[in-house]
């Protein structure tokens, strides 16, 4: 099938697979994505069958976009992708730390959650996984869908500051040469930003302005890598 795909279009650069799975899907109450319902709670990153297919990507010079939960980075992804140093891998959506400041709104559905204390347990798992993946020189990361980490982050300055710290921590781990901005734009700003965890999200101009703020203090060459250079290199865009 991969051979047919590569023959069908010279523009094909890689494969993306939604693999967020920490158990059976529970209607969005956990990090398990609805798209993995067909897996019935099985982490495909631990599947020998999945690995056999993954190994073929090197043969056809295709990259792999990885979307998974932080605990999967720790328990399976780092071990799996260390076996394939020539396979270019991109972690999607900042590694998907989940609701580190809690829900966007309180239970009444209208009051903005005032919490500004992050979930250190969630961050500990995310950091462990991201550090393990950053140790692999073939692994890159997309700075995208940030509202999954902090739903409704555009509502308050405290949330914006927390998100900025996460973005810069990620860049510190991987370096600008392995990080890339990704708009993830589909449906609308809220869905693109938070995957339905919030009803608000930045528009395109707001998001661009926020990225410029996140990247304050970086050299021009580093900023150019983050906005375009890394993606051009990773996806072999001319």
């Amino acid at each position: 099938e991969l051979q047919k795909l590569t023959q069908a279009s010279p523009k094909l650069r890689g494969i993306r697979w939604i693999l967020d799975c920490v158990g059976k899907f529970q209607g969005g109450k956990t990090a398990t994505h609805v798209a993995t319902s067909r897996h019935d709670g099985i982490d495909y990153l631990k599947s020998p069958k999945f690995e056999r297919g993954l190994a073929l990507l090197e043969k056809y010079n295709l990259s792999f976009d990885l979307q998974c939960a932080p605990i999967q980075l720790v328990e399976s992804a780092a071990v799996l992708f260390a076996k394939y140093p020539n396979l270019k891998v991109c972690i999607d959506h900042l590694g998907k730390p989940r609701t580190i400041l809690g829900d966007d709104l309180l239970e009444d559905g209208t009051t903005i959650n005032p919490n500004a204390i992050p979930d250190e347990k969630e961050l500990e798992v995310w950091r462990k996984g991201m550090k393990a993946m950053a140790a692999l020189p073939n692994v890159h990361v997309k700075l995208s869908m940030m509202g999954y980490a902090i739903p409704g982050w555009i509502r308050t300055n405290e949330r914006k500051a927390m998100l900025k710290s996460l973005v810069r921590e990620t860049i510190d781990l991987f370096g600008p040469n392995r990080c890339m901005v990704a708009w993830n734009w589909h449906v609308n700003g809220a869905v693109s930003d938070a995957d339905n965890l919030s009803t608000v999200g930045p528009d395109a101009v707001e998001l661009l302005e926020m990225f410029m703020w996140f990247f304050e203090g970086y050299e021009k060459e580093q900023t150019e890598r983050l906005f375009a250079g890394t993606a051009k290199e990773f996806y072999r865009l001319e």
Side-chain angles (χ1 to χ4, degrees):
E1 291 299 320
L2 285 177
Q3 184 176 17
K4 290 180 181 178
L5 287 172
T6 55
Q7 291 174 344
S9 174
K11 295 181 179 180
L12 181 66
R13 292 293 184 264
I15 300 295
R16 173 179 179 264
W17 202 330
I18 297 174
L19 293 165
D20 321 38
C21 184
V22 296
K24 293 181 180 295
F25 180 64
Q26 297 180 31
K29 296 179 181 179
T30 70
T32 296
H33 197 284
V34 63
T36 66
S37 298
R38 62 186 183 279
H39 303 179
D40 195 31
I42 298 172
D43 180 2
Y44 266 26
L45 290 169
K46 297 178 180 178
S47 164
K49 184 178 180 180
F50 175 82
E51 183 175 349
R52 288 194 296 272
L54 183 75
L56 292 175
L57 297 182
E58 281 187 310
K59 177 180 178 180
Y60 292 103
N61 194 29
L62 296 173
S63 62
F64 186 74
D65 267 49
L66 170 67
Q67 179 178 316
C68 69
I71 189 63
Q72 292 173 280
L73 297 175
V74 175
E75 295 182 348
S76 45
V79 174
L80 174 61
F81 291 107
K83 299 179 185 178
Y84 302 96
N86 297 318
L87 173 63
K88 292 196 299 183
V89 178
C90 186
I91 302 170
D92 288 347
H93 307 326
L94 210 68
K96 298 198 75 176
R98 179 180 169 87
T99 58
I100 64 168
L101 294 179
D103 294 334
D104 178 17
L105 303 176
L106 298 181
E107 291 184 359
D108 62 15
T110 59
T111 305
I112 296 174
N113 182 358
N115 179 53
I117 301 174
D119 182 342
E120 291 297 339
K121 183 177 180 180
E122 175 73 11
L123 285 176
E124 181 182 1
V125 174
W126 174 75
R127 287 183 174 124
K128 185 176 181 180
M130 294 293 274
K131 287 178 181 178
M133 295 296 280
L136 307 177
N138 55 317
V139 176
H140 298 60
V141 61
K142 284 182 181 174
L143 311 175
S144 58
M145 208 172 83
M146 296 171 291
Y148 189 84
I150 305 178
W153 62 273
I154 64 169
R155 293 189 193 270
T156 71
N157 290 333
E158 291 80 8
R159 291 179 179 182
K160 291 175 184 177
M162 175 60 67
L163 185 57
K164 181 178 182 178
S165 72
L166 290 180
V167 170
R168 293 181 74 98
E169 183 174 348
T170 300
I171 297 171
D172 286 345
L173 280 173
F174 287 83
N177 288 344
R178 290 196 287 153
C179 293
M180 63 186 90
V181 167
W183 297 106
N184 192 48
W185 205 264
H186 65 103
V187 187
N188 58 49
V191 173
S192 304
D193 181 64
D195 200 20
N196 294 307
L197 292 182
S198 174
T199 58
V200 299
D203 62 30
V205 174
E206 288 175 313
L207 186 56
L208 177 58
E209 290 174 345
M210 285 295 102
F211 273 124
M212 294 300 294
W213 178 56
F214 294 161
F215 302 157
E216 275 183 341
Y218 290 144
E219 300 292 335
K220 179 181 178 182
E221 293 77 12
Q222 294 175 315
T223 302
E224 289 176 347
R225 285 289 305 190
L226 292 164
F227 274 117
T230 299
K232 285 182 178 179
E233 183 179 275
F234 185 87
Y235 291 110
R236 295 173 285 128
L237 303 176
E238 299 178 356

